[in-house]
Amino acid sequence: MEELATRELTEAEREQRAVEAARELGIEYTEQVQQDGQDAWAKIRAHQGGAAA
């Protein structure tokens, strides 16, 4: 059980969560929305000294 709590999400799991979050916000999950999200996380990580967000 502890392993499940600490493991990182797979790419497919991250993608599915992004789709679900966009749906909850009433946003169509397009390639542009996906790219904008990736860019935002890259900026967040950069401000955290490169640590994974």
Side-chain angles (χ1 to χ4, degrees), residues 4 6-18:
L4 288 175
T6 60
R7 76 173 177 83
E8 289 195 32
L9 298 174
T10 66
E11 180 65 32
E13 290 169 326
R14 286 192 299 270
E15 185 74 12
Q16 183 58 38
R17 287 186 181 194

Side-chain angles (χ1 to χ4, degrees), residues 19-37:
V19 169
E20 291 169 6
R23 185 180 310 126
E24 288 178 15
L25 293 169
I27 299 170
E28 181 182 355
Y29 192 73
T30 63
E31 287 184 32
Q32 184 62 51
V33 169
Q34 179 186 29
Q35 186 61 54
D36 290 346

